[in-house]
């Protein structure tokens, strides 16, 4: 789980339903996580899957998100996802203006 971030920042919320089988998905997901960590403006990510998968990545600004979307390996993974890995997905981008944690940081 990502620790405390200082708003404002942006959250890219990706929800998905996978197709059957791995078909190289796990390997690509690991590679993309590594690439994202080195992308300028990347602040962190949270992810969970139980039928419906949710990944929320956090970014400094919209320009950082645009650069990530255009990154060559990420763009290739997006195409493969549509062709092979996802039965359906949704992507939402939100500006985070406030965050609260429990228990509060000391």
């Amino acid at each position: 789980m990502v620790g405390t971030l200082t708003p404002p920042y942006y959250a890219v919320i990706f929800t998905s339903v996978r197709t059957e089988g791995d078909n190289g998905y796990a390997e690509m997901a690991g590679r993309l996580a590594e690439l994202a960590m080195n992308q300028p403006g990347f602040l962190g990510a949270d992810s969970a899957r139980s039928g419906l998968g949710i990944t929320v990545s956090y970014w400094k600004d919209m320009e950082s998100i645009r650069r990530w979307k255009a990154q060559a390996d990420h763009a290739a993974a997006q195409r493969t996802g549509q062709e092979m890995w996802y039965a359906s997905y949704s992507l939402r981008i939100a500006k985070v203006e406030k965050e609260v944690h429990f228990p509060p940081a000391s």
Side-chain angles (χ1 to χ4, degrees):
M1 186 149 84
V2 172
T4 301
L5 299 174
T6 303
Y9 57 88
Y10 288 82
V12 176
I13 305 154
F14 182 75
T15 56
S16 63
V17 176
R18 290 278 318 280
T19 56
E20 291 294 319
D22 181 78
N23 301 311
Y25 177 84
E27 181 180 341
M28 180 57 80
R31 178 165 164 66
L32 289 178
E34 267 184 48
L35 287 171
M37 283 190 275
N38 294 308
Q39 188 75 15
F42 179 77
L43 303 174
D46 292 316
S47 189
R49 177 167 294 281
S50 177
L52 176 71
I54 274 191
T55 298
V56 182
S57 58
Y58 307 100
W59 299 87
K60 174 184 165 191
D61 52 30
M62 286 298 296
E63 183 55 32
S64 300
I65 294 168
R66 280 190 277 280
R67 282 193 307 267
W68 174 238
K69 179 177 177 17
Q71 197 278 346
D73 292 325
H74 184 222
Q78 291 170 55
R79 288 189 297 276
T80 304
Q82 291 174 345
E83 295 166 1
M84 188 180 339
W85 294 324
Y86 299 114
S88 64
Y89 69 81
S90 295
L91 182 112
R92 296 169 176 93
I93 299 175
K95 184 176 184 180
V96 177
E97 298 195 13
K98 180 179 178 178
E99 68 173 59
V100 177
H101 295 270
F102 181 82
S106 20

